[in-house]
Amino acid sequence: MSALADVAKLAGVSKSTASRALSGGGYVSEATRQKVSAAAAKLGYVASNTAASLVTGRTKSVGVMIPFISRWFFGEVLEGIESELRTHGYDMTLYNVHPSERSDDVFDYFLARQRFDGVIAVAVEPAESDVRHLRGLGRPLVGIGGHIPGIASIAIDDVGVARLATEHLVELGHTDIVHIGGDSGPRTDFSVPRKRRLGYDQAMDAAGLPHPRILDADMSIPGGYEAAVDVLTDARNRPTAVFAACDEIAIGAIIAARRLGIDVPGQLSVIGIDGHECAPMFALTTFEQSPRDQGSQIVDTLLSAIDRGVEPAAGVVFHQTRLRVRNSTSAAPTR
């Protein structure tokens, strides 16, 4: 493999200029950068992140904290993060922070011992001490999924979207609407289940409808299935509509209804939130939120801050959602 000196010679520049062009450290004209990059590509030269860090003080690596890997939303976010980081020549180090674990352990035993330029917290709400810890290390922190006081983050308006989803059912004439939510464990999901439940409550209150039937469920297809079986088995008290806190719960509810011989949407309407890749297969009406785009967007926010050597501007940027009406919702059936 060719050395940096060979790249510099072919590009007709000094070795230090070639190093700056390939590492991003220091000023190099765009014409020179392109010339050096072309020479490196021709010679098959790959810049060493370790060597580059000695010049720039950067590791070209970002730490990502996330509570789940196998679930659809988190997988999509990671796809967006990894793709955008790769575009900018960054590596990603993944820290799987389980809901039952203290995020402090990640900071104390992993993050502090690894070299990284910044941290992305995906649906994990660090404690104030964690945030101070990172700032003490001089590493910016950004988040996806909710509001971290004093930190830049991207999320959807969970309360507002849940209210709109419930209103969609109300506008179709449904008055007996059950909400199947999620388990709002500590430090995870930024209390997303709680916020979506609040949006449901607000919509039902505004319509003057009772809303005593709220079921907790794991934010998964099996979780939605189990909760839906419980609420749909009693034909005398069966609701005409379900607002699910996420698409996976909604899909589980549709599967339960089918196995119980309940027609969707003739006898039961179901709506979710996410834009899950399986939503079209189940003709699910949902509010799409594009988690992959959120992952790309938060990387841009973080890398911009790293390049400028500043903390990202604090506050939540709400990502746009879109209602996609399919065949899982229809007018309320006549009792």
Side-chain angles (χ1 to χ4, degrees):
M1 181 176 291
S2 299
L4 180 61
D6 299 322
V7 175
K9 182 177 179 180
L10 181 60
V13 299
S14 68
K15 188 175 177 180
S16 60
T17 298
S19 177
R20 291 197 304 274
L22 294 173
S23 68
Y27 173 76
V28 176
S29 71
E30 184 58 31
T32 298
R33 191 182 305 279
Q34 291 180 1
K35 185 165 57 174
V36 172
S37 296
K42 184 174 182 179
L43 295 174
Y45 176 79
V46 179
S48 166
N49 282 349
T50 301
S53 69
L54 297 176
V55 178
T56 66
R58 299 177 187 169
T59 67
K60 303 290 282 187
S61 180
V62 167
V64 179
M65 300 171 59
I66 195 165
F68 303 102
I69 298 174
S70 59
R71 295 187 181 180
W72 177 82
F73 171 84
F74 299 101
E76 288 291 297
V77 168
L78 282 178
E79 286 276 357
I81 290 174
E82 194 276 334
S83 176
E84 193 67 18
L85 285 175
R86 188 173 65 248
T87 297
H88 292 278
Y90 272 76
D91 294 325
M92 177 180 74
T93 302
L94 193 62
Y95 300 94
N96 190 197
V97 184
H98 295 282
S100 60
E101 296 176 348
R102 286 159 41 88
S103 62
D104 308 59
D105 295 338
V106 176
F107 285 94
D108 292 340
Y109 298 107
F110 295 100
L111 293 183
R113 299 184 183 186
Q114 297 289 333
R115 290 177 56 80
F116 56 93
D117 295 331
V119 174
I120 301 173
V122 182
V124 174
E125 189 169 8
E128 291 183 12
S129 59
D130 297 337
V131 176
R132 289 195 301 270
H133 188 166
L134 273 179
R135 284 178 169 164
L137 295 173
R139 300 297 187 256
L141 167 69
V142 294
I144 292 181
H147 172 63
I148 307 175
I151 298 299
S153 58
I154 293 174
I156 65 171
D157 181 2
D158 290 294
V159 175
V161 172
R163 185 173 59 247
L164 290 172
T166 308
E167 288 174 351
H168 174 73
L169 298 173
V170 172
E171 290 168 358
L172 289 171
H174 294 277
T175 57
D176 191 352
I177 305 169
V178 68
H179 173 55
I180 304 179
D183 177 19
S184 53
R187 291 201 182 182
T188 60
D189 295 337
F190 293 95
S191 298
V192 166
R194 177 181 57 79
K195 291 177 181 178
R196 293 182 182 178
R197 179 173 300 185
L198 177 58
Y200 163 78
D201 287 340
Q202 290 180 355
M204 296 293 279
D205 285 337
L209 297 174
H211 45 100
R213 289 208 277 177
I214 299 174
L215 286 78
D216 286 328
D218 183 61
M219 299 279 273
S220 65
I221 293 175
Y225 175 83
E226 292 175 7
V229 167
D230 288 342
V231 75
L232 298 177
T233 300
D234 185 358
R236 293 175 300 175
N237 297 309
R238 184 181 297 153
T240 65
V242 170
F243 160 50
C246 69
D247 281 358
E248 290 188 64
I249 290 177
I251 290 170
I254 291 174
I255 294 172
R258 289 177 177 175
R259 292 196 174 182
L260 292 170
I262 300 169
D263 180 63
V264 177
Q267 295 171 285
L268 180 75
S269 287
V270 181
I271 188 171
I273 296 175
D274 271 345
H276 194 285
E277 62 183 354
C278 291
M281 295 169 54
F282 289 89
L284 176 63
T285 296
T286 181
F287 273 88
E288 298 175 337
Q289 64 162 316
S290 305
R292 188 174 300 196
D293 291 343
Q294 294 177 54
S296 298
Q297 186 178 345
I298 202 65
V299 167
D300 289 340
T301 299
L302 178 63
L303 296 189
S304 176
I306 291 172
D307 288 342
R308 292 181 290 117
V310 299
E311 283 286 333
V316 181
V317 174
F318 283 126
H319 194 79
Q320 186 176 6
T321 58
R322 180 180 63 168
L323 174 62
R324 177 63 66 91
V325 178
R326 296 191 178 94
N327 291 336
S328 70
T329 54
S330 67
T334 303
R335 291 285 189 179

